Amino acid sequence: MTTKSLTSEPRKGHPGPVVAEFEGGFLNSMGLCNPGIDAGLEEVRRYKESGAEAAVMISLFADSAEGFADLARKAAQAPADFLELNLSCPNVRDEYGAPLAASPGTVAAILRAVKAVTDTPLIAKLSPNVTDLDSVARGARDGGADALCLINTLGPGLLIDIEAIRPVLYNRTGGLSGPCVKPIALRLVHAAARSAGLPLIGTGGITTGNDALEMWMAGASLIGVGTAIYYRGEEVFTHILDEMTAYLERKGYKTLEEVPRMAPAAGEKGEDE
Ligand code: RRO
């Protein structure tokens, strides 16, 4: 379970509407709404104390290496299984400029700064909205990331209310999630698995067991589900597991690990080639 990205202070986020559905999925511009690091960590503590078994990834957002390191120092006191560094929110450009995940050097420096203050495994959440994701993925690895999470939302995109002739979202634009982003998520996960050589959390448009199997075949070790909760309810996780199990049984595999990964294309470059 991944928390909403936590910032040093509480944030209200953008005024509504902050989400809009369209035929391919959703557009969101939440604007990093969160209770702030202190209240967020308290929630995680209460969740863990309730006996919940799910591993918790505490997601952090800051606008500098020092800012991330400060948050990570605090998070080290909470029962986090992983820390996710969100380097890729697409909806706060007015406040923070281009996402940090646009630059391999910046990504490496942030990872190094955080690695120096915590032993908790680090996940770098990267953006699909860059021209050379492979270099950014290698930057995260070189800085000390233990895993990558791909992809954050795509875009941003725009939806227009044709009656009012204005954007549907208050913040005008927002990141795309849902079924329409799955092919891009699969392509980027498959490429990053080879270029960075790190474990990957694959997410983006995963709605069914067959989607999850595609993500596994692309190279993901863990599979993230977000928007699909809207379509299939909280039972989506059980449904996906049942659908994956039906595939394994039909194909005669005993475990998911037996299911092969998709081969790279002929001549496709591997790690650091
Ligand atoms: O809060 C958001 O607007 C938001 C964030 Br932090 C993010 O990482 N990705 C996204 O689609 N929305």
Side-chain angles (χ1 to χ4, degrees):
M1 192 183 73
T2 309
T3 69
K4 182 75 181 151
S5 296
L6 301 172
T7 49
S8 61
E9 299 299 324
R11 285 178 57 97
K12 282 208 168 75
H14 296 313
V18 290
V19 291
E21 188 177 9
F22 71 108
E23 55 281 13
F26 274 84
L27 212 58
N28 93 78
S29 188
M30 306 301 295
L32 256 170
C33 45
N34 78 95
I37 185 80
D38 294 329
L41 294 181
E42 191 47 44
E43 263 188 63
V44 171
R45 273 186 212 104
R46 270 190 274 124
Y47 176 72
K48 283 285 193 180
E49 280 163 19
S50 75
E53 283 174 7
V56 175
M57 311 188 190
I58 298 185
S59 182
L60 306 174
F61 179 95
D63 61 356
S64 66
E66 303 74 51
F68 271 108
D70 289 345
L71 293 174
R73 255 186 230 105
K74 284 198 166 182
Q77 293 149 27
D81 299 290
F82 301 88
L83 295 183
E84 176 191 89
L85 308 186
N86 183 353
L87 306 169
S88 49
C89 176
N91 297 328
V92 286
R93 194 176 266 268
D94 290 353
E95 277 172 87
Y96 297 111
L100 297 166
S103 153
T106 306
V107 167
I110 294 170
L111 266 298
R112 260 183 221 111
V114 176
K115 204 73 195 165
V117 300
T118 180
D119 294 329
T120 308
L122 297 182
I123 301 162
K125 174 108 181 213
L126 300 182
S127 170
N129 312 314
V130 297
T131 46
D132 184 5
L133 181 61
D134 287 339
S135 297
V136 178
R138 281 193 289 264
R141 178 204 57 198
D142 295 346
D146 297 285
L148 306 178
C149 180
L150 298 173
I151 57 176
N152 208 319
T153 50
L154 188 69
L158 171 70
L159 289 169
I160 298 172
D161 176 337
I162 60 169
E163 298 305 321
I165 318 184
R166 66 172 185 231
V168 175
L169 293 182
Y170 177 90
N171 194 45
R172 302 183 70 86
T173 62
L176 273 74
S177 65
C180 67
V181 309
K182 185 186 77 171
I184 290 183
L186 290 171
R187 176 177 68 81
L188 294 175
V189 166
H190 186 243
R194 291 186 56 72
S195 57
L198 288 176
L200 290 177
I201 303 174
T203 184
I206 306 303
T207 310
T208 66
N210 289 356
D211 296 334
L213 286 158
E214 283 187 88
M215 196 50 104
W216 169 264
M217 290 171 188
S221 304
L222 292 180
I223 293 158
V225 176
T227 303
I229 298 169
Y230 173 83
Y231 299 118
R232 306 185 77 186
E234 284 180 27
E235 304 75 35
V236 65
F237 302 101
T238 323
H239 292 324
I240 287 177
L241 280 177
D242 290 347
E243 291 154 3
M244 292 174 86
T245 305
Y247 172 89
L248 296 193
E249 281 170 4
R250 180 163 61 79
K251 300 291 261 187
Y253 297 118
K254 287 193 201 61
T255 64
L256 183 60
E257 283 70 26
E258 286 181 14
V259 177
R261 308 293 197 165
M262 191 182 81
E268 194 178 326
K269 290 187 174 169
E271 194 179 334
D272 276 346
E273 284 169 31

